[in-house]
Amino acid sequence: MRVRKLGGNRAGEIRLSRFLRNDAVDPQAMIDAAALRTASRCADRHILAIQDTTVVRSGGGGGLYLHAMIGVDADDGAIIGAIHGQFLSRDKGKRGTQRARPIEEKESYRWLEGADRAAQVCAAARHITVIADRESDIYEAFTRRPANVDLVIRMAWDRSFGKDQPSLLAMADALPVAASLAFTLPAKPGRKERDAQLAIRFSAVTLPRPKNGIYNNVPDGVRLFLVDVRESAPPPGETPIHWRLLTTYEVSDAGQAAAVIALYRRRWAIEQLFRTLKTQGFDIEALRIEDEVPLSNLVMAAFVAAVIVQQLVHSRDGAPPGGALRPIEDAFEPSDRPLLEAFSAKLEGTTARQKNPHPKGSLAYAAWVCARLGGWTGYYGKPGPIVMLDGWQQFQAAKRGVSLLLSACDYV
């Protein structure tokens, strides 16, 4: 993604640059519009609101960061859409004053804001679960969660329960193994896909209020459940999987513990999204825009688009196991259907593997079109984010061309 390439020519580059620098262009408005579309898809679903932070540009101990949240269907893993996004601009940090400030004045308040935003955007959902990694292990995140939200958070900190009492980590290590669990661990940079055997431990815990810092209007303790899952026999040279999860869900048996683990594993969706936003797709880290305002505008637009690309990738195989086909309106306008169908008819070949196997009106049908536009032949492997992104961009360019042609015809 480059301004010159997006502009198409020198005149287009100048127009786009002026647009990105216009005071009326607001990244918050972009994400609010995307969240409004997500809200319309949440009814009667269990929505996983998955949040995380990624670097946009770093240097000198600070930089620009994007905190993002996406909605995922808990039942079939389909990406519903973007929920929240905000930028964090850091200089050299304020670690020395962290304990002297209330949570509202800390950068970590973003995790609480994300949960509040999920409760608002996904209000029509059957249930909402906010999922986050270790940075979200904050006492106030548990005590101030919205009433319609549960939490599954990876633990970051040990806690003391008082003199002569084992700490939280020591207590977790002493728990008996309640059950074993097997699943396939997906590949990621530096790690191959592998089958993992894991031991599950769990217990109810009451976290005490931290002694240091400012804690206004929070209880002295909060009752949660700890789920400890660790790999029993990792391959030689591999770091074993070990997750300690704190959750507001009741966990009184191995089945409930396994259900919490299954929810946390959905967090992988936001890791894939960030890869699409970066080296596997839009490559935002390579942008050479020095001014933070136009950079933020362009990155937020890319984030919204990256969610659509991931929706297409997830839909390429049709309906997920136990799920249903997502409608085309998850990622396209209803008026896009005729152009998608025209492209499908043109791109189909003579063999069965070169035919669009998905029903018209489904997101899988549109994903097949974008994959073919992006260069996928239908024979070798599955189309990934880069192929899907290229095809989606070609479709958008064609859509603009049709719009211009129709406008010219109206003018004549």
Side-chain angles (χ1 to χ4, degrees):
M1 184 177 65
R2 301 294 181 272
V3 172
R4 182 170 297 175
K5 182 178 179 181
L6 290 171
N9 53 38
R10 179 60 179 168
E13 178 187 355
I14 293 173
R15 284 196 298 270
L16 180 56
S17 296
R18 288 173 177 169
F19 172 81
L20 294 173
R21 295 176 184 278
N22 192 310
D23 291 339
V25 179
D26 179 18
Q28 190 60 53
M30 295 183 200
I31 191 62
D32 287 348
L36 189 63
R37 294 193 294 271
T38 302
S40 67
R41 306 169 193 147
C42 291
D44 299 323
R45 296 181 179 275
H46 178 183
I47 298 295
L48 305 182
I50 306 173
Q51 60 178 334
D52 204 356
T53 305
T54 190
V55 63
V56 175
R57 182 174 62 196
S58 63
L64 184 67
Y65 296 76
L66 173 65
H67 185 72
M69 174 181 276
I70 59 173
V72 173
D73 190 306
D75 297 324
D76 60 21
I79 296 177
I80 305 302
I83 294 176
H84 177 59
Q86 65 181 109
F87 288 101
L88 310 170
S89 185
R90 300 174 181 169
D91 43 28
K92 294 182 180 179
K94 300 180 180 179
R95 290 184 177 274
T97 62
Q98 285 280 28
R99 292 180 178 178
R101 292 180 287 137
I103 185 67
E104 291 84 359
E105 297 179 12
K106 298 179 182 179
E107 192 180 89
S108 55
Y109 188 56
R110 67 190 188 276
W111 302 102
L112 281 70
E113 290 180 300
D116 289 340
R117 188 63 179 142
Q120 297 166 4
V121 173
C122 307
R126 182 175 77 248
H127 194 66
I128 306 167
T129 302
V130 171
I131 298 177
D133 216 353
R134 284 173 281 206
E135 280 191 84
S136 185
D137 182 7
I138 303 167
Y139 186 76
E140 294 96 331
F142 296 108
T143 60
R144 293 171 54 171
R145 66 183 173 96
N148 59 338
V149 168
D150 273 297
L151 303 178
V152 177
I153 306 297
R154 189 171 177 186
M155 194 179 88
W157 311 107
D158 197 4
R159 269 86 169 184
S160 172
F161 294 109
K163 188 177 180 181
D164 301 326
Q165 296 291 323
S167 69
L168 183 57
L169 288 180
M171 184 206 76
D173 291 339
L175 290 173
V177 175
S180 295
L181 181 67
F183 61 71
T184 299
L185 200 65
K188 71 175 187 178
R191 184 184 73 193
K192 296 180 179 179
E193 179 183 292
R194 70 174 186 265
D195 293 329
Q197 296 288 331
L198 304 110
I200 300 176
R201 299 169 172 84
F202 62 87
S203 176
V205 296
T206 298
L207 300 187
R209 186 175 68 182
K211 295 180 180 179
N212 298 314
I214 298 176
Y215 295 91
N216 298 320
N217 302 318
V218 295
D220 292 335
V222 57
R223 188 172 187 266
L224 303 170
F225 288 84
L226 169 67
V227 177
D228 183 297
V229 54
R230 57 187 81 185
E231 194 170 8
S232 306
E238 293 285 350
T239 302
I241 296 300
H242 189 183
W243 300 329
R244 296 185 180 96
L245 308 177
L246 291 170
T247 182
T248 54
Y249 280 108
E250 178 87 19
V251 180
S252 57
D253 58 45
Q256 291 174 330
V260 168
I261 294 167
L263 293 179
Y264 180 75
R265 290 186 63 204
R266 296 289 193 194
R267 204 192 73 83
W268 180 241
I270 203 164
E271 298 282 357
Q272 292 176 308
L273 174 67
F274 286 158
R275 290 176 68 186
T276 298
L277 194 58
K278 294 184 173 183
T279 55
Q280 292 297 310
F282 288 88
D283 198 14
I284 60 170
E285 291 173 301
L287 287 170
R288 294 293 180 262
I289 302 175
E290 295 300 323
D291 191 334
E292 196 169 287
V293 172
L295 177 63
S296 298
N297 286 329
L298 186 53
V299 170
M300 185 62 80
F303 165 58
V304 174
V307 173
I308 295 174
V309 170
Q310 280 302 118
Q311 287 177 301
L312 293 172
V313 172
H314 279 218
S315 299
R316 64 191 176 190
D317 296 327
L325 284 168
R326 298 297 305 167
I328 202 170
E329 288 77 14
D330 273 13
F332 294 86
E333 299 295 332
S335 57
D336 291 339
R337 288 185 60 170
L339 184 57
L340 284 165
E341 291 174 10
F343 266 124
S344 182
K346 180 177 178 62
L347 292 166
E348 285 186 339
T350 56
T351 67
R353 293 186 67 175
Q354 290 179 316
K355 301 289 186 182
N356 193 332
H358 308 294
K360 294 179 179 180
S362 69
L363 191 57
Y365 181 92
W368 185 92
V369 171
C370 289
R372 293 285 281 118
L373 285 173
W376 180 61
T377 64
Y379 284 99
Y380 304 106
K382 296 181 179 181
I386 293 177
V387 169
M388 207 68 79
L389 170 60
D390 188 48
W392 179 77
Q393 288 177 318
Q394 289 193 47
F395 176 81
Q396 296 301 327
K399 179 180 173 180
R400 288 193 298 272
V402 170
S403 178
L404 287 171
L405 180 61
L406 293 175
S407 296
C409 291
D410 290 341
Y411 178 76
V412 172

Coordinates of all heavy atoms in Angstrom, one line a residue, residues 56-118:
V56 N 2.6 0.4 14.8 CA 2.5 1.0 13.4 C 3.9 1.5 13.0 O 4.4 1.3 11.9 CB 1.5 2.1 13.3 CG1 1.5 2.8 11.9 CG2 0.1 1.5 13.6
R57 N 4.5 2.3 13.9 CA 5.8 2.8 13.7 C 6.5 3.0 15.1 O 5.9 3.5 16.0 CB 5.7 4.2 13.0 CG 7.1 4.8 12.7 CD 6.9 6.1 11.9 NE 6.1 7.1 12.5 CZ 5.5 8.1 11.9 NH1 5.6 8.3 10.6 NH2 4.8 9.0 12.6
S58 N 7.7 2.5 15.2 CA 8.4 2.6 16.5 C 9.8 3.3 16.3 O 10.3 3.3 15.2 CB 8.6 1.2 17.1 OG 9.4 0.4 16.3
G59 N 10.3 3.8 17.4 CA 11.6 4.4 17.4 C 11.9 5.3 18.6 O 10.9 6.0 19.1
G60 N 13.1 5.2 19.1 CA 13.4 6.1 20.2 C 12.7 5.8 21.5 O 12.4 6.7 22.3
G61 N 12.2 4.5 21.7 CA 11.5 4.2 22.9 C 10.0 4.5 22.9 O 9.3 4.3 23.8
G62 N 9.5 5.0 21.7 CA 8.1 5.3 21.6 C 7.6 4.9 20.2 O 8.1 4.0 19.6
G63 N 6.6 5.6 19.7 CA 6.1 5.3 18.4 C 4.6 5.5 18.4 O 3.9 6.0 19.3
L64 N 4.0 5.0 17.2 CA 2.6 5.0 17.0 C 2.1 3.5 17.0 O 2.6 2.7 16.4 CB 2.3 5.6 15.7 CG 0.8 5.8 15.3 CD1 0.1 6.8 16.3 CD2 0.6 6.3 13.9
Y65 N 1.0 3.3 17.8 CA 0.5 2.0 18.0 C -1.0 2.0 17.7 O -1.7 3.0 17.9 CB 0.7 1.4 19.4 CG 2.1 1.3 19.7 CD1 3.0 2.4 20.0 CD2 2.7 0.0 19.8 CE1 4.3 2.2 20.3 CE2 4.1 -0.2 20.1 CZ 4.8 0.9 20.4 OH 6.2 0.8 20.6
L66 N -1.5 0.9 17.2 CA -3.0 0.7 16.9 C -3.5 -0.3 17.9 O -3.1 -1.4 17.9 CB -3.2 0.3 15.5 CG -4.7 -0.1 15.1 CD1 -5.6 1.2 15.2 CD2 -4.8 -0.7 13.7
H67 N -4.5 0.1 18.7 CA -5.2 -0.8 19.5 C -6.5 -1.2 18.8 O -7.3 -0.3 18.4 CB -5.5 -0.2 20.9 CG -6.2 -1.2 21.8 ND1 -5.5 -2.3 22.4 CD2 -7.5 -1.3 22.3 CE1 -6.3 -2.9 23.1 NE2 -7.5 -2.4 23.1
A68 N -6.8 -2.5 18.5 CA -7.9 -2.9 17.7 C -8.7 -4.0 18.4 O -8.2 -4.7 19.2 CB -7.4 -3.4 16.3
M69 N -10.0 -4.0 18.0 CA -10.9 -5.1 18.5 C -11.8 -5.5 17.3 O -12.3 -4.7 16.6 CB -11.8 -4.5 19.6 CG -12.8 -5.5 20.1 SD -13.8 -4.9 21.4 CE -12.8 -5.3 22.8
I70 N -11.9 -6.8 17.1 CA -12.8 -7.4 16.1 C -13.8 -8.3 16.7 O -13.5 -8.9 17.8 CB -12.0 -8.1 15.0 CG1 -11.1 -9.3 15.6 CG2 -11.1 -7.2 14.3 CD1 -10.5 -10.2 14.6
G71 N -14.9 -8.5 16.1 CA -15.9 -9.5 16.5 C -15.8 -10.8 15.8 O -15.7 -10.8 14.5
V72 N -15.9 -11.9 16.5 CA -15.8 -13.2 15.9 C -16.9 -14.0 16.5 O -17.2 -14.0 17.7 CB -14.4 -13.9 16.3 CG1 -14.4 -15.3 15.8 CG2 -13.3 -13.1 15.6
D73 N -17.6 -14.8 15.6 CA -18.6 -15.7 16.1 C -18.0 -16.9 16.9 O -17.2 -17.6 16.4 CB -19.4 -16.3 14.9 CG -20.7 -17.0 15.3 OD1 -20.6 -17.9 16.1 OD2 -21.7 -16.6 14.8
A74 N -18.5 -17.0 18.2 CA -17.9 -18.0 19.0 C -18.2 -19.4 18.5 O -17.4 -20.4 18.8 CB -18.4 -17.8 20.5
D75 N -19.3 -19.6 17.8 CA -19.7 -20.9 17.4 C -18.9 -21.5 16.2 O -18.6 -22.6 16.2 CB -21.2 -21.0 17.1 CG -22.0 -20.6 18.4 OD1 -21.6 -21.0 19.5 OD2 -23.1 -20.0 18.3
D76 N -18.7 -20.6 15.2 CA -18.0 -21.1 14.0 C -16.8 -20.4 13.6 O -16.1 -20.7 12.6 CB -19.0 -21.1 12.8 CG -19.5 -19.7 12.5 OD1 -18.9 -18.7 12.9 OD2 -20.6 -19.7 11.8
G77 N -16.4 -19.4 14.4 CA -15.1 -18.7 14.1 C -15.2 -17.6 13.0 O -14.2 -17.1 12.7
A78 N -16.4 -17.4 12.5 CA -16.5 -16.4 11.4 C -16.2 -15.0 11.9 O -16.7 -14.6 13.0 CB -17.9 -16.5 10.8
I79 N -15.5 -14.2 11.2 CA -15.2 -12.8 11.6 C -16.5 -12.0 11.2 O -16.9 -11.9 10.1 CB -14.0 -12.2 10.8 CG1 -12.7 -13.0 11.3 CG2 -13.8 -10.8 11.1 CD1 -11.5 -12.6 10.6
I80 N -17.0 -11.3 12.2 CA -18.3 -10.5 12.0 C -17.9 -9.1 11.6 O -18.6 -8.6 10.8 CB -19.1 -10.5 13.3 CG1 -19.4 -12.0 13.8 CG2 -20.4 -9.8 13.1 CD1 -20.1 -12.8 12.8
G81 N -16.8 -8.6 12.0 CA -16.4 -7.2 11.6 C -15.6 -6.5 12.7 O -15.3 -7.1 13.7
A82 N -15.2 -5.3 12.4 CA -14.5 -4.4 13.3 C -15.4 -3.9 14.3 O -16.5 -3.5 14.0 CB -13.8 -3.3 12.5
I83 N -14.9 -3.8 15.6 CA -15.7 -3.2 16.7 C -15.1 -1.9 17.2 O -15.8 -1.0 17.5 CB -15.7 -4.3 17.9 CG1 -16.5 -5.5 17.4 CG2 -16.4 -3.6 19.1 CD1 -16.6 -6.6 18.5
H84 N -13.8 -1.9 17.3 CA -13.2 -0.7 17.9 C -11.7 -0.6 17.4 O -11.1 -1.5 17.0 CB -13.1 -0.9 19.4 CG -12.5 0.1 20.2 ND1 -12.9 1.4 20.2 CD2 -11.4 0.1 21.1 CE1 -12.1 2.2 21.0 NE2 -11.2 1.4 21.6
G85 N -11.3 0.7 17.4 CA -9.9 1.0 17.1 C -9.5 2.3 17.6 O -10.3 3.3 17.6
Q86 N -8.3 2.4 18.1 CA -7.8 3.7 18.5 C -6.2 3.7 18.4 O -5.6 2.7 18.5 CB -8.2 4.0 20.0 CG -7.6 3.1 21.0 CD -8.1 3.5 22.4 OE1 -8.9 2.7 23.0 NE2 -7.6 4.6 23.0
F87 N -5.7 4.9 18.3 CA -4.2 5.0 18.2 C -3.6 5.5 19.5 O -4.2 6.3 20.2 CB -3.8 6.0 17.0 CG -4.1 5.5 15.7 CD1 -5.2 5.9 15.0 CD2 -3.2 4.6 15.1 CE1 -5.4 5.4 13.7 CE2 -3.4 4.1 13.8 CZ -4.5 4.5 13.1
L88 N -2.4 5.0 19.8 CA -1.7 5.4 20.9 C -0.4 6.0 20.4 O 0.4 5.3 19.7 CB -1.4 4.2 21.8 CG -2.6 3.3 22.2 CD1 -2.1 2.0 22.8 CD2 -3.5 4.0 23.1
S89 N -0.1 7.2 20.9 CA 1.2 7.8 20.5 C 2.1 7.9 21.7 O 1.7 8.5 22.7 CB 0.9 9.2 20.0 OG 2.1 9.8 19.5
R90 N 3.2 7.2 21.7 CA 4.1 7.1 22.8 C 5.4 7.9 22.5 O 5.9 7.8 21.4 CB 4.4 5.6 23.2 CG 3.3 4.7 23.5 CD 3.7 3.3 23.6 NE 2.6 2.4 23.9 CZ 2.7 1.1 23.9 NH1 3.8 0.5 23.6 NH2 1.6 0.3 24.2
D91 N 5.9 8.5 23.6 CA 7.2 9.1 23.4 C 8.2 8.1 24.0 O 8.7 7.2 23.4 CB 7.3 10.5 24.0 CG 6.6 10.6 25.4 OD1 6.5 9.6 26.1 OD2 6.1 11.7 25.7
K92 N 8.6 8.3 25.3 CA 9.5 7.4 26.0 C 8.8 6.7 27.1 O 9.5 6.0 27.9 CB 10.7 8.2 26.5 CG 11.6 8.8 25.4 CD 12.8 9.4 26.0 CE 13.7 10.0 24.9 NZ 14.9 10.7 25.5
G93 N 7.5 6.8 27.2 CA 6.8 6.1 28.2 C 6.7 6.8 29.6 O 7.5 7.8 29.8
K94 N 5.9 6.4 30.5 CA 5.7 7.0 31.8 C 5.7 6.0 32.9 O 5.0 6.1 33.9 CB 4.4 7.8 31.8 CG 4.3 8.9 30.7 CD 3.0 9.6 30.8 CE 2.9 10.7 29.8 NZ 1.6 11.4 29.9
R95 N 6.6 5.0 32.8 CA 6.6 3.9 33.7 C 6.8 4.4 35.2 O 6.3 3.9 36.1 CB 7.7 2.9 33.4 CG 7.4 2.1 32.1 CD 8.5 1.1 31.8 NE 8.1 0.3 30.7 CZ 7.3 -0.8 30.7 NH1 6.8 -1.2 31.9 NH2 7.1 -1.5 29.6
G96 N 7.7 5.5 35.3 CA 8.0 5.9 36.7 C 6.8 6.5 37.4 O 6.8 6.6 38.7
T97 N 5.7 6.9 36.7 CA 4.6 7.5 37.4 C 3.3 6.6 37.3 O 2.2 7.1 37.7 CB 4.3 8.8 36.7 OG1 3.9 8.6 35.3 CG2 5.5 9.8 36.8
Q98 N 3.5 5.4 36.9 CA 2.3 4.5 36.7 C 1.4 4.4 38.0 O 0.2 4.5 37.9 CB 2.7 3.1 36.2 CG 3.1 3.1 34.8 CD 2.0 3.0 33.8 OE1 0.9 3.5 34.1 NE2 2.2 2.4 32.7
R99 N 2.1 4.1 39.1 CA 1.3 3.8 40.3 C 0.7 5.1 40.9 O -0.2 5.0 41.7 CB 2.3 3.2 41.3 CG 2.7 1.8 40.9 CD 3.6 1.2 42.0 NE 4.0 -0.2 41.6 CZ 4.9 -0.9 42.4 NH1 5.4 -0.4 43.5 NH2 5.2 -2.1 42.0
A100 N 1.2 6.2 40.5 CA 0.6 7.5 41.1 C -0.5 8.0 40.3 O -1.1 9.1 40.7 CB 1.8 8.5 41.1
R101 N -1.0 7.3 39.3 CA -2.1 7.8 38.5 C -3.3 6.8 38.5 O -3.1 5.6 38.5 CB -1.7 8.0 37.0 CG -0.7 9.2 36.9 CD -0.2 9.3 35.4 NE 0.7 8.2 35.0 CZ 0.6 7.6 33.8 NH1 -0.4 7.9 33.0 NH2 1.4 6.6 33.5
P102 N -4.5 7.3 38.5 CA -5.7 6.4 38.3 C -5.7 5.7 37.0 O -5.1 6.2 36.0 CB -6.9 7.3 38.6 CG -6.4 8.7 38.2 CD -4.9 8.7 38.5
I103 N -6.5 4.7 36.8 CA -6.5 3.9 35.6 C -6.9 4.7 34.4 O -6.4 4.5 33.3 CB -7.4 2.7 35.8 CG1 -7.3 1.7 34.5 CG2 -8.8 3.1 36.1 CD1 -6.0 1.1 34.3
E104 N -7.8 5.7 34.6 CA -8.3 6.5 33.5 C -7.2 7.3 32.9 O -7.3 7.8 31.7 CB -9.4 7.5 34.0 CG -10.7 6.8 34.4 CD -10.7 6.2 35.8 OE1 -9.6 6.4 36.5 OE2 -11.7 5.7 36.2
E105 N -6.1 7.6 33.6 CA -5.0 8.4 33.0 C -3.8 7.5 32.5 O -2.8 8.1 32.1 CB -4.5 9.3 34.1 CG -5.5 10.4 34.6 CD -4.9 11.2 35.7 OE1 -3.7 11.2 35.9 OE2 -5.7 12.0 36.3
K106 N -4.0 6.2 32.5 CA -3.0 5.3 32.1 C -3.3 4.8 30.7 O -4.5 4.7 30.2 CB -2.9 4.1 33.0 CG -2.4 4.5 34.4 CD -2.4 3.2 35.3 CE -2.0 3.5 36.7 NZ -2.0 2.3 37.6
E107 N -2.2 4.5 29.9 CA -2.4 3.9 28.6 C -3.2 2.6 28.7 O -3.9 2.2 27.7 CB -1.0 3.7 28.0 CG -1.1 3.4 26.5 CD 0.3 3.2 25.9 OE1 0.8 2.0 26.0 OE2 0.9 4.2 25.5
S108 N -3.0 1.8 29.8 CA -3.7 0.6 29.9 C -5.2 0.7 30.0 O -5.9 -0.3 29.9 CB -3.2 -0.2 31.1 OG -3.3 0.6 32.3
Y109 N -5.7 1.9 30.1 CA -7.2 2.1 30.2 C -7.8 1.7 28.9 O -9.1 1.4 28.9 CB -7.5 3.6 30.5 CG -8.9 3.9 30.7 CD1 -9.6 3.2 31.7 CD2 -9.6 4.8 30.0 CE1 -11.0 3.5 32.0 CE2 -10.9 5.1 30.2 CZ -11.6 4.5 31.2 OH -12.9 4.8 31.4
R110 N -7.1 1.5 27.8 CA -7.6 1.1 26.5 C -8.3 -0.2 26.6 O -9.2 -0.5 25.9 CB -6.5 1.1 25.5 CG -5.5 0.0 25.6 CD -4.3 0.3 24.7 NE -3.3 -0.8 24.6 CZ -2.3 -0.9 25.4 NH1 -2.1 0.0 26.4 NH2 -1.5 -1.9 25.3
W111 N -7.8 -1.1 27.5 CA -8.4 -2.4 27.6 C -9.8 -2.3 28.2 O -10.7 -3.1 27.8 CB -7.5 -3.3 28.5 CG -6.1 -3.5 28.0 CD1 -5.0 -2.9 28.4 CD2 -5.7 -4.3 26.8 NE1 -3.9 -3.2 27.6 CE2 -4.3 -4.1 26.7 CE3 -6.4 -5.2 26.0 CZ2 -3.6 -4.8 25.7 CZ3 -5.7 -5.8 25.0 CH2 -4.3 -5.6 24.9
L112 N -10.0 -1.4 29.2 CA -11.3 -1.2 29.7 C -12.3 -0.5 28.7 O -13.4 -0.9 28.6 CB -11.2 -0.4 31.0 CG -10.8 -1.1 32.3 CD1 -9.3 -1.5 32.2 CD2 -11.1 -0.2 33.5
E113 N -11.7 0.4 28.0 CA -12.5 1.1 27.0 C -12.9 0.1 25.9 O -14.1 0.2 25.4 CB -11.6 2.2 26.3 CG -11.4 3.4 27.2 CD -10.6 4.5 26.5 OE1 -9.4 4.2 26.1 OE2 -11.1 5.6 26.4
G114 N -12.1 -0.8 25.5 CA -12.4 -1.8 24.6 C -13.6 -2.7 25.0 O -14.5 -2.9 24.2
A115 N -13.6 -3.1 26.3 CA -14.7 -3.9 26.8 C -16.0 -3.1 26.8 O -17.1 -3.6 26.5 CB -14.4 -4.4 28.2
D116 N -15.9 -1.8 27.2 CA -17.1 -0.9 27.2 C -17.6 -0.8 25.7 O -18.9 -0.8 25.5 CB -16.8 0.5 27.7 CG -16.5 0.4 29.2 OD1 -17.0 -0.5 29.9 OD2 -15.9 1.4 29.7
R117 N -16.7 -0.6 24.8 CA -17.2 -0.4 23.4 C -17.8 -1.7 22.9 O -18.8 -1.6 22.1 CB -16.0 -0.1 22.5 CG -16.3 0.3 21.1 CD -17.2 1.6 21.1 NE -17.5 1.9 19.7 CZ -18.6 2.4 19.3 NH1 -19.6 2.6 20.1 NH2 -18.8 2.8 18.0
A118 N -17.3 -2.9 23.2 CA -17.9 -4.1 22.8 C -19.3 -4.3 23.3 O -20.2 -4.7 22.6 CB -17.0 -5.3 23.3

